[in-house]
Amino acid sequence: LRDNAGLGALLAGCARSLEFASFVGCCSLSPAGINSVLREACCFPALRTLILGGCRLEDSTCSAIGQTCPRLMSLDLWNCARITDAGLKGVLSGGAPLEKLNVRECPKVAGPSVLMLALSAHVVALHTLDIAFTGNLDDAQLLPLLQRHCRSLRCLHCGGPRCSITEASLRALPPFLTTLDIAECADIHDFAPLAG
């Protein structure tokens, strides 16, 4: 997909009813083009799932998502290397009740985003979080999220060379967790908390 104007016309026609949209790997779309498409459509009141993995997004695109997708429950920004914590703040500022967030391989997204997610009043039932291979993440940033979403979180991916969580985070894992990925978490030396 290379045509920002064509995408805008397509989405404008179904903006009120669209529930699922995937543009994985549409790296030919410019960030400015995606922003204008979102803003021209004005609002996607029914959109629950938005997948933009591998696209050339910027923080301004995240702000546009926050402003135009008030009921978004699942957001996939995998490998969107230009977005930062400020971008995630833009998404969260829109009040969407996110239940699933994927920011894997977004190196400029880090622990402050996880803390914002934990403190967000409208994110009340987060069940899937992929923050693997992102920026720096430590226990102080992850523990509030694990405590807040202890009843809902089922899937957590948080490994990578810049992940410095320890056994303290392992001890706080939710009891109903079904998927855990902590690859390359070099500061975990004792996996005994996982046995209990």
Side-chain angles (χ1 to χ4, degrees), residues 1 22-29 51-56 78-80:
L1 184 60
S22 176
F23 303 102
V24 173
C26 292
C27 54
S28 296
L29 295 172
I51 304 172
L52 294 167
C55 293
R56 293 184 305 140
W78 164 79
N79 197 27
C80 294

Side-chain angles (χ1 to χ4, degrees), residues 15-88:
R16 306 295 299 167
S17 61
L18 190 66
E19 295 180 12
F20 177 97
S22 176
F23 303 102
V24 173
C26 292
C27 54
S28 296
L29 295 172
S30 71
I34 295 172
N35 292 355
S36 67
V37 164
L38 289 169
R39 289 201 164 88
E40 285 172 20
C42 190
C43 187
F44 295 90
L47 190 62
R48 301 294 188 268
T49 300
L50 180 58
I51 304 172
L52 294 167
C55 293
R56 293 184 305 140
L57 304 184
E58 295 176 346
D59 289 343
S60 58
T61 311
C62 292
S63 294
I65 291 168
Q67 294 166 6
T68 59
C69 305
R71 293 190 176 87
L72 197 61
M73 298 175 81
S74 177
L75 178 60
D76 187 330
L77 301 173
W78 164 79
N79 197 27
C80 294
R82 296 179 182 186
I83 63 169
T84 70
D85 292 323
L88 262 289

Side-chain angles (χ1 to χ4, degrees), residues 82-123:
R82 296 179 182 186
I83 63 169
T84 70
D85 292 323
L88 262 289
K89 183 177 182 180
V91 169
L92 293 173
S93 70
L98 287 177
E99 294 181 356
K100 181 177 181 181
L101 177 64
N102 182 354
V103 289
R104 175 182 283 263
E105 296 181 27
C106 295
K108 296 178 183 176
V109 173
S113 286
V114 175
L115 199 51
M116 281 187 281
L117 197 59
L119 300 174
S120 176
H122 50 274
V123 178

